[in-house]
Amino acid sequence: MTVALLQGCASTPPPPPPETAQPELRWPWLAPPARPAEPVAVLEASKLPPFDGERREVNEPLRGIQKVDGATHQKDLWARLRTGFAMPDLDNALVRRKTREYAASAEYLQRMFERSRIYLYHIVEEIEKRGLPTELALLPMVESAFNPMAYSRAQASGLWQFVPGTGKRFELKQNSWYDGRRDIVDSTEAALHYLTALHNRYGDWHLALASYNWGENAVARAVAKNRKAGKRTDYSSLRMPAETRNYVPKLQALKNIISEPSKYGVELAPIPNERYFTTVLTGRAELDVALAARLAEMRVQDFKALNPGFSHTLVRSPKHLRIVLPSEKVAVFHENLARHDRGQSASAGATRSPKVNAPRVHRVEPGDTLSAIALRYRVRLADLKRWNPGVEVLQIGQGIHLADR
Protein backbone atom coordinates (compact mmCIF):
# COMPACT_ATOMS: atom_id res chain seq x y z
CA MET A 1 0.00 0.00 0.00
CA THR A 2 1.36 3.41 -0.89
CA VAL A 3 1.23 5.88 1.96
CA ALA A 4 1.76 9.59 1.30
CA LEU A 5 2.48 11.58 4.44
CA LEU A 6 2.01 15.33 4.33
CA GLN A 7 4.15 17.58 6.48
CA GLY A 8 1.59 19.82 8.09
CA CYS A 9 -1.34 21.17 6.12
CA ALA A 10 0.28 24.04 4.23
CA SER A 11 -0.70 22.52 0.91
CA THR A 12 -4.15 21.44 2.04
CA PRO A 13 -7.12 23.31 0.54
CA PRO A 14 -8.51 25.80 3.05
CA PRO A 15 -11.92 24.25 3.71
CA PRO A 16 -11.81 22.78 6.26
CA PRO A 17 -8.20 22.58 7.57
CA PRO A 18 -7.84 20.70 10.87
CA GLU A 19 -7.05 23.05 13.72
CA THR A 20 -4.22 21.28 15.42
CA ALA A 21 -3.10 24.04 17.76
CA GLN A 22 -3.80 23.23 21.38
CA PRO A 23 -3.25 25.11 24.60
CA GLU A 24 -1.17 23.35 27.21
CA LEU A 25 -3.26 20.65 28.83
CA ARG A 26 -3.10 20.26 32.59
CA TRP A 27 -3.25 17.09 34.68
CA PRO A 28 -3.56 18.23 38.33
CA TRP A 29 -6.13 15.67 39.31
CA LEU A 30 -6.80 12.00 39.17
CA ALA A 31 -10.10 10.19 39.24
CA PRO A 32 -10.94 9.28 42.86
CA PRO A 33 -9.58 5.83 43.67
CA ALA A 34 -12.10 3.04 43.80
CA ARG A 35 -12.80 1.51 47.20
CA PRO A 36 -10.89 -1.74 47.66
CA ALA A 37 -13.05 -4.70 46.83
CA GLU A 38 -13.81 -7.37 49.42
CA PRO A 39 -11.89 -10.61 48.87
CA VAL A 40 -13.87 -12.94 46.64
CA ALA A 41 -13.67 -16.70 46.93
CA VAL A 42 -12.82 -18.35 43.62
CA LEU A 43 -15.12 -21.23 42.71
CA GLU A 44 -14.21 -23.97 40.32
CA ALA A 45 -16.81 -24.19 37.56
CA SER A 46 -16.51 -27.98 37.48
CA LYS A 47 -17.76 -28.20 41.09
CA LEU A 48 -20.83 -26.00 40.62
CA PRO A 49 -24.29 -27.65 40.38
CA PRO A 50 -25.98 -27.49 36.96
CA PHE A 51 -28.06 -24.39 36.26
CA ASP A 52 -31.78 -25.14 36.14
CA GLY A 53 -33.32 -21.68 36.44
CA GLU A 54 -34.99 -19.46 33.85
CA ARG A 55 -32.75 -18.43 30.99
CA ARG A 56 -33.03 -14.87 29.69
CA GLU A 57 -31.14 -13.04 26.96
CA VAL A 58 -29.48 -9.83 28.12
CA ASN A 59 -30.01 -7.12 25.50
CA GLU A 60 -28.65 -4.09 27.34
CA PRO A 61 -25.43 -2.95 25.64
CA LEU A 62 -22.26 -2.42 27.65
CA ARG A 63 -21.65 1.19 28.70
CA GLY A 64 -23.86 2.60 25.96
CA ILE A 65 -22.13 0.70 23.16
CA GLN A 66 -24.47 -0.98 20.72
CA LYS A 67 -24.54 -4.74 20.65
CA VAL A 68 -22.04 -5.91 18.00
CA ASP A 69 -22.95 -8.61 15.54
CA GLY A 70 -19.70 -9.91 14.08
CA ALA A 71 -21.39 -10.88 10.84
CA THR A 72 -22.29 -7.26 10.10
CA HIS A 73 -18.71 -6.01 9.85
CA GLN A 74 -16.59 -8.95 8.83
CA LYS A 75 -15.26 -7.26 5.73
CA ASP A 76 -15.50 -3.47 6.07
CA LEU A 77 -13.93 -1.57 8.95
CA TRP A 78 -16.22 1.43 8.32
CA ALA A 79 -19.25 -0.77 9.07
CA ARG A 80 -17.64 -1.95 12.30
CA LEU A 81 -16.92 1.66 13.19
CA ARG A 82 -20.55 2.69 12.67
CA THR A 83 -21.74 -0.15 14.90
CA GLY A 84 -19.84 1.32 17.83
CA PHE A 85 -21.04 4.93 17.48
CA ALA A 86 -22.51 5.74 20.91
CA MET A 87 -22.01 9.46 21.64
CA PRO A 88 -25.12 11.66 21.77
CA ASP A 89 -25.51 13.47 18.45
CA LEU A 90 -25.02 17.21 18.34
CA ASP A 91 -27.36 18.92 15.88
CA ASN A 92 -27.13 22.66 15.34
CA ALA A 93 -26.36 25.17 12.61
CA LEU A 94 -22.59 24.91 13.17
CA VAL A 95 -22.65 21.11 12.79
CA ARG A 96 -24.65 21.40 9.57
CA ARG A 97 -22.20 23.99 8.21
CA LYS A 98 -19.16 21.86 9.05
CA THR A 99 -20.81 18.84 7.44
CA ARG A 100 -21.36 20.80 4.23
CA GLU A 101 -17.76 22.08 4.26
CA TYR A 102 -16.27 18.60 4.65
CA ALA A 103 -18.59 17.12 2.02
CA ALA A 104 -17.61 19.89 -0.41
CA SER A 105 -13.89 19.11 0.10
CA ALA A 106 -13.92 15.66 -1.52
CA GLU A 107 -10.20 15.65 -2.37
CA TYR A 108 -9.22 16.64 1.18
CA LEU A 109 -11.49 13.94 2.66
CA GLN A 110 -10.09 11.24 0.37
CA ARG A 111 -6.47 12.07 1.28
CA MET A 112 -7.38 11.90 4.95
CA PHE A 113 -9.30 8.63 4.60
CA GLU A 114 -6.42 7.11 2.61
CA ARG A 115 -3.90 8.02 5.32
CA SER A 116 -6.17 6.51 7.97
CA ARG A 117 -6.23 3.07 6.32
CA ILE A 118 -3.07 1.72 7.96
CA TYR A 119 -3.85 3.08 11.44
CA LEU A 120 -7.61 2.83 11.86
CA TYR A 121 -7.95 -0.89 12.64
CA HIS A 122 -5.50 -0.63 15.55
CA ILE A 123 -7.28 2.42 16.95
CA VAL A 124 -10.73 0.80 16.71
CA GLU A 125 -9.39 -2.34 18.41
CA GLU A 126 -7.98 -0.33 21.31
CA ILE A 127 -11.21 1.67 21.66
CA GLU A 128 -13.35 -1.46 21.77
CA LYS A 129 -11.06 -3.08 24.36
CA ARG A 130 -11.84 -0.16 26.68
CA GLY A 131 -15.59 -0.12 25.96
CA LEU A 132 -15.41 3.40 24.50
CA PRO A 133 -17.53 4.91 21.70
CA THR A 134 -15.90 4.45 18.32
CA GLU A 135 -16.41 8.10 17.39
CA LEU A 136 -13.07 8.57 19.15
CA ALA A 137 -11.38 6.83 16.21
CA LEU A 138 -12.33 9.87 14.11
CA LEU A 139 -10.60 12.32 16.45
CA PRO A 140 -7.23 12.13 14.60
CA MET A 141 -9.10 13.41 11.55
CA VAL A 142 -9.95 16.58 13.47
CA GLU A 143 -6.59 16.80 15.23
CA SER A 144 -4.09 15.98 12.49
CA ALA A 145 -5.97 14.77 9.39
CA PHE A 146 -4.33 11.40 10.23
CA ASN A 147 -0.86 12.77 9.52
CA PRO A 148 1.48 11.41 12.26
CA MET A 149 4.06 14.07 11.36
CA ALA A 150 1.63 16.98 11.87
CA TYR A 151 3.11 19.70 14.10
CA SER A 152 1.15 22.71 15.33
CA ARG A 153 2.10 26.24 16.38
CA ALA A 154 1.54 25.15 19.98
CA GLN A 155 4.18 22.39 19.47
CA ALA A 156 1.55 19.66 19.45
CA SER A 157 2.67 16.61 17.49
CA GLY A 158 1.41 13.30 16.15
CA LEU A 159 -1.96 11.83 15.22
CA TRP A 160 -3.42 12.83 18.59
CA GLN A 161 -1.61 16.19 18.83
CA PHE A 162 0.00 15.93 22.26
CA VAL A 163 1.91 19.00 23.42
CA PRO A 164 5.28 18.21 25.08
CA GLY A 165 4.11 18.63 28.68
CA THR A 166 1.04 16.45 28.37
CA GLY A 167 3.02 13.86 26.44
CA LYS A 168 5.47 13.57 29.33
CA ARG A 169 2.62 13.20 31.84
CA PHE A 170 1.43 10.20 29.89
CA GLU A 171 4.93 8.72 29.64
CA LEU A 172 5.44 9.47 25.96
CA LYS A 173 9.23 9.59 25.70
CA GLN A 174 10.70 12.55 23.82
CA ASN A 175 14.39 12.83 23.00
CA SER A 176 16.65 13.47 20.01
CA TRP A 177 16.18 9.90 18.76
CA TYR A 178 12.50 9.29 19.35
CA ASP A 179 9.23 11.14 19.96
CA GLY A 180 6.52 8.97 21.48
CA ARG A 181 3.89 11.56 20.57
CA ARG A 182 4.32 10.42 16.96
CA ASP A 183 4.48 6.71 17.78
CA ILE A 184 1.18 5.18 16.62
CA VAL A 185 0.91 2.54 19.36
CA ASP A 186 2.13 4.62 22.31
CA SER A 187 0.26 7.83 21.45
CA THR A 188 -3.02 5.96 20.89
CA GLU A 189 -2.75 4.32 24.30
CA ALA A 190 -2.00 7.67 25.94
CA ALA A 191 -4.85 9.49 24.15
CA LEU A 192 -7.44 6.88 25.08
CA HIS A 193 -6.22 6.86 28.67
CA TYR A 194 -6.56 10.63 28.83
CA LEU A 195 -9.99 10.72 27.16
CA THR A 196 -11.26 8.01 29.51
CA ALA A 197 -10.13 10.02 32.53
CA LEU A 198 -11.80 13.16 31.18
CA HIS A 199 -15.07 11.33 30.63
CA ASN A 200 -14.88 9.86 34.13
CA ARG A 201 -14.59 13.40 35.46
CA TYR A 202 -17.55 14.93 33.61
CA GLY A 203 -19.71 11.94 32.64
CA ASP A 204 -20.23 13.76 29.32
CA TRP A 205 -18.35 13.06 26.10
CA HIS A 206 -18.80 16.54 24.67
CA LEU A 207 -17.25 18.11 27.77
CA ALA A 208 -14.49 15.47 27.73
CA LEU A 209 -13.65 16.38 24.12
CA ALA A 210 -13.71 20.10 24.92
CA SER A 211 -11.28 19.42 27.77
CA TYR A 212 -8.98 17.46 25.47
CA ASN A 213 -8.81 20.47 23.16
CA TRP A 214 -9.03 23.41 25.58
CA GLY A 215 -7.66 21.93 28.80
CA GLU A 216 -9.57 20.35 31.68
CA ASN A 217 -8.99 23.30 34.03
CA ALA A 218 -10.42 25.74 31.48
CA VAL A 219 -13.55 23.63 31.02
CA ALA A 220 -13.92 23.15 34.77
CA ARG A 221 -13.84 26.93 35.29
CA ALA A 222 -16.42 27.47 32.53
CA VAL A 223 -18.72 24.85 34.05
CA ALA A 224 -18.36 26.36 37.53
CA LYS A 225 -19.09 29.85 36.20
CA ASN A 226 -22.30 28.72 34.49
CA ARG A 227 -23.40 26.74 37.52
CA LYS A 228 -22.88 29.74 39.79
CA ALA A 229 -24.96 31.87 37.42
CA GLY A 230 -27.73 29.28 37.37
CA LYS A 231 -27.12 28.46 33.69
CA ARG A 232 -26.89 25.12 31.91
CA THR A 233 -23.47 23.45 32.00
CA ASP A 234 -23.59 21.36 28.80
CA TYR A 235 -21.10 21.87 25.95
CA SER A 236 -23.37 24.11 23.89
CA SER A 237 -24.06 26.44 26.85
CA LEU A 238 -20.44 27.18 27.83
CA ARG A 239 -18.41 30.16 26.66
CA MET A 240 -15.23 28.92 24.99
CA PRO A 241 -12.65 29.86 22.35
CA ALA A 242 -13.67 29.56 18.70
CA GLU A 243 -11.36 26.58 18.16
CA THR A 244 -13.06 24.59 20.91
CA ARG A 245 -16.51 25.78 19.83
CA ASN A 246 -15.80 24.23 16.40
CA TYR A 247 -14.11 21.10 17.77
CA VAL A 248 -17.06 18.82 18.57
CA PRO A 249 -19.08 20.02 15.54
CA LYS A 250 -16.17 18.92 13.30
CA LEU A 251 -16.19 15.47 14.87
CA GLN A 252 -19.98 15.29 14.54
CA ALA A 253 -19.76 16.37 10.89
CA LEU A 254 -17.31 13.56 10.10
CA LYS A 255 -19.56 11.12 11.95
CA ASN A 256 -22.53 12.27 9.86
CA ILE A 257 -20.64 11.73 6.60
CA ILE A 258 -19.22 8.33 7.56
CA SER A 259 -22.64 7.22 8.81
CA GLU A 260 -24.32 8.05 5.47
CA PRO A 261 -21.65 8.82 2.83
CA SER A 262 -24.05 8.54 -0.11
CA LYS A 263 -26.33 11.17 1.42
CA TYR A 264 -23.48 13.68 1.17
CA GLY A 265 -22.11 12.50 -2.16
CA VAL A 266 -18.95 11.08 -0.58
CA GLU A 267 -17.29 7.88 -1.79
CA LEU A 268 -16.05 5.82 1.14
CA ALA A 269 -13.69 3.12 -0.14
CA PRO A 270 -13.89 -0.04 2.02
CA ILE A 271 -11.10 -0.69 4.52
CA PRO A 272 -10.42 -4.39 5.28
CA ASN A 273 -11.52 -5.25 8.79
CA GLU A 274 -8.25 -6.94 9.67
CA ARG A 275 -5.03 -6.12 11.44
CA TYR A 276 -2.65 -4.19 9.20
CA PHE A 277 0.47 -3.94 11.38
CA THR A 278 2.25 -5.82 14.17
CA THR A 279 4.86 -4.67 16.66
CA VAL A 280 8.15 -6.55 16.41
CA LEU A 281 11.04 -6.86 18.87
CA THR A 282 14.24 -6.89 16.83
CA GLY A 283 16.55 -8.27 19.52
CA ARG A 284 19.05 -5.45 19.06
CA ALA A 285 19.69 -1.92 20.31
CA GLU A 286 19.91 -0.10 16.98
CA LEU A 287 18.99 -0.58 13.34
CA ASP A 288 19.33 1.44 10.15
CA VAL A 289 15.93 2.51 8.75
CA ALA A 290 16.87 1.74 5.14
CA LEU A 291 18.19 -1.69 6.15
CA ALA A 292 15.07 -2.44 8.21
CA ALA A 293 12.85 -1.55 5.25
CA ARG A 294 14.95 -3.71 2.90
CA LEU A 295 14.81 -6.68 5.30
CA ALA A 296 11.02 -6.30 5.45
CA GLU A 297 10.93 -6.02 1.65
CA MET A 298 9.05 -2.73 1.74
CA ARG A 299 9.67 0.85 0.70
CA VAL A 300 11.45 3.15 3.14
CA GLN A 301 8.59 5.68 3.07
CA ASP A 302 6.11 2.95 3.99
CA PHE A 303 8.35 1.84 6.86
CA LYS A 304 8.52 5.43 8.11
CA ALA A 305 4.72 5.74 7.91
CA LEU A 306 4.43 2.92 10.45
CA ASN A 307 7.38 4.12 12.56
CA PRO A 308 7.01 7.93 12.62
CA GLY A 309 8.33 8.18 16.17
CA PHE A 310 11.93 7.71 15.03
CA SER A 311 13.73 10.98 14.30
CA HIS A 312 16.85 9.71 12.47
CA THR A 313 17.84 7.28 9.75
CA LEU A 314 19.40 5.17 12.52
CA VAL A 315 16.85 4.01 15.11
CA ARG A 316 18.11 3.30 18.59
CA SER A 317 16.69 2.07 21.88
CA PRO A 318 18.36 1.57 25.30
CA LYS A 319 16.53 -1.76 25.57
CA HIS A 320 15.26 -4.09 22.87
CA LEU A 321 14.37 -2.05 19.80
CA ARG A 322 10.72 -2.29 18.83
CA ILE A 323 9.53 -1.53 15.32
CA VAL A 324 6.15 -1.74 13.58
CA LEU A 325 5.74 -3.75 10.37
CA PRO A 326 2.85 -4.83 8.16
CA SER A 327 1.67 -8.14 9.63
CA GLU A 328 2.36 -9.92 6.34
CA LYS A 329 6.00 -8.78 6.44
CA VAL A 330 6.96 -10.02 9.92
CA ALA A 331 8.08 -13.52 8.92
CA VAL A 332 10.13 -12.36 5.95
CA PHE A 333 11.76 -9.65 8.10
CA HIS A 334 12.96 -12.21 10.67
CA GLU A 335 14.19 -14.56 7.97
CA ASN A 336 16.07 -11.84 6.12
CA LEU A 337 17.51 -10.45 9.37
CA ALA A 338 18.90 -13.87 10.30
CA ARG A 339 20.37 -14.24 6.82
CA HIS A 340 21.85 -10.74 7.03
CA ASP A 341 23.50 -11.52 10.37
CA ARG A 342 25.01 -14.71 9.02
CA GLY A 343 26.30 -12.82 5.98
CA GLN A 344 27.92 -10.17 8.15
CA SER A 345 29.73 -12.80 10.18
CA ALA A 346 30.96 -14.56 7.05
CA SER A 347 32.19 -11.33 5.48
CA ALA A 348 34.14 -10.56 8.64
CA GLY A 349 35.91 -13.92 8.39
CA ALA A 350 34.13 -15.26 11.44
CA THR A 351 32.46 -18.61 11.76
CA ARG A 352 29.64 -19.22 14.19
CA SER A 353 30.07 -22.66 15.70
CA PRO A 354 27.27 -24.07 17.79
CA LYS A 355 27.89 -24.26 21.48
CA VAL A 356 28.84 -27.68 22.80
CA ASN A 357 25.71 -27.77 24.95
CA ALA A 358 23.42 -26.04 22.43
CA PRO A 359 19.94 -27.58 22.53
CA ARG A 360 18.69 -29.55 19.57
CA VAL A 361 15.07 -28.98 20.62
CA HIS A 362 13.41 -25.74 21.73
CA ARG A 363 10.44 -25.90 24.08
CA VAL A 364 7.78 -23.39 23.03
CA GLU A 365 7.23 -20.53 25.46
CA PRO A 366 4.38 -17.97 25.60
CA GLY A 367 4.68 -15.50 22.69
CA ASP A 368 6.93 -17.75 20.58
CA THR A 369 6.53 -17.92 16.82
CA LEU A 370 8.52 -19.94 14.31
CA SER A 371 10.06 -16.72 13.02
CA ALA A 372 11.14 -15.66 16.51
CA ILE A 373 12.61 -19.12 17.23
CA ALA A 374 14.53 -19.03 13.95
CA LEU A 375 15.94 -15.61 14.82
CA ARG A 376 16.88 -16.69 18.36
CA TYR A 377 18.88 -19.72 17.21
CA ARG A 378 20.20 -18.10 14.02
CA VAL A 379 18.66 -20.61 11.64
CA ARG A 380 16.71 -20.06 8.44
CA LEU A 381 12.93 -20.06 8.82
CA ALA A 382 12.68 -22.33 5.79
CA ASP A 383 15.02 -24.85 7.47
CA LEU A 384 13.04 -24.70 10.72
CA LYS A 385 9.85 -25.51 8.81
CA ARG A 386 11.60 -28.35 6.98
CA TRP A 387 12.83 -29.83 10.27
CA ASN A 388 9.33 -29.55 11.78
CA PRO A 389 6.94 -30.60 8.99
CA GLY A 390 3.26 -29.91 9.60
CA VAL A 391 3.88 -27.51 12.50
CA GLU A 392 1.68 -24.46 12.03
CA VAL A 393 0.07 -23.58 15.38
CA LEU A 394 2.53 -23.67 18.30
CA GLN A 395 1.55 -25.05 21.70
CA ILE A 396 3.21 -24.13 25.00
CA GLY A 397 5.81 -26.78 25.85
CA GLN A 398 5.88 -28.20 22.32
CA GLY A 399 9.29 -29.36 21.11
CA ILE A 400 10.65 -27.58 18.03
CA HIS A 401 13.63 -29.32 16.39
CA LEU A 402 16.56 -27.06 15.60
CA ALA A 403 18.35 -29.43 13.23
CA ASP A 404 17.72 -32.45 11.02
CA ARG A 405 16.65 -35.51 12.96
Side-chain angles (χ1 to χ4, degrees), residues 62-65 126-133 205:
L62 178 65
R63 293 184 62 183
I65 305 300
E126 294 302 310
I127 286 172
E128 289 182 345
K129 285 179 186 177
R130 295 163 172 80
L132 303 175
W205 277 112

Side-chain angles (χ1 to χ4, degrees), residues 146-183:
F146 263 106
N147 177 4
M149 302 303 292
Y151 192 80
S152 78
R153 292 186 300 273
Q155 297 182 321
S157 186
L159 290 184
W160 299 93
Q161 288 292 280
F162 276 99
V163 293
T166 307
K168 290 177 182 176
R169 293 189 187 100
F170 286 92
E171 300 180 354
L172 294 176
K173 297 178 182 178
Q174 300 161 60
N175 55 45
S176 60
W177 291 93
Y178 169 81
D179 191 338
R181 297 176 300 160
R182 298 196 305 261
D183 185 283

Side-chain angles (χ1 to χ4, degrees), residues 321-335:
L321 180 65
R322 186 205 73 185
I323 60 175
V324 175
L325 295 175
S327 299
E328 63 182 16
K329 298 290 188 181
V330 173
V332 71
F333 172 81
H334 282 308
E335 185 170 353

Side-chain angles (χ1 to χ4, degrees), residues 1 8 16 27 57 68 96 127 193 226 229 245-246 288 311 314 318 320 333-335 345 371-372 381 385 390:
M1 178 183 300
W27 186 255
E57 181 179 355
V68 175
R96 291 188 286 274
I127 286 172
H193 183 184
N226 273 27
R245 174 62 63 205
N246 285 273
D288 180 78
S311 302
L314 180 69
H320 294 298
F333 172 81
H334 282 308
E335 185 170 353
S345 297
S371 297
L381 180 59
K385 290 179 178 179

Side-chain angles (χ1 to χ4, degrees), residues 300-322:
V300 172
Q301 67 190 76
D302 294 338
F303 179 87
K304 289 181 177 179
L306 289 175
N307 297 272
F310 297 124
S311 302
H312 297 284
T313 54
L314 180 69
V315 296
R316 179 177 291 175
S317 172
K319 297 181 181 179
H320 294 298
L321 180 65
R322 186 205 73 185

Side-chain angles (χ1 to χ4, degrees), residues 236-312:
S236 298
S237 302
L238 300 181
R239 293 190 63 182
M240 57 184 65
E243 179 189 336
T244 310
R245 174 62 63 205
N246 285 273
Y247 192 69
V248 175
K250 286 182 176 181
L251 186 68
Q252 181 67 54
L254 289 164
K255 175 183 176 180
N256 292 344
I257 291 172
I258 290 169
S259 295
E260 300 181 272
S262 60
K263 177 180 177 179
Y264 300 99
V266 173
E267 183 179 351
L268 203 58
I271 298 178
N273 184 25
E274 57 190 36
R275 181 172 300 283
Y276 180 79
F277 65 75
T278 300
T279 56
V280 176
L281 291 177
T282 64
R284 58 200 58 222
E286 61 181 38
L287 190 63
D288 180 78
V289 167
L291 174 61
R294 188 165 71 250
L295 295 176
E297 298 181 5
M298 59 190 298
R299 299 189 309 169
V300 172
Q301 67 190 76
D302 294 338
F303 179 87
K304 289 181 177 179
L306 289 175
N307 297 272
F310 297 124
S311 302
H312 297 284

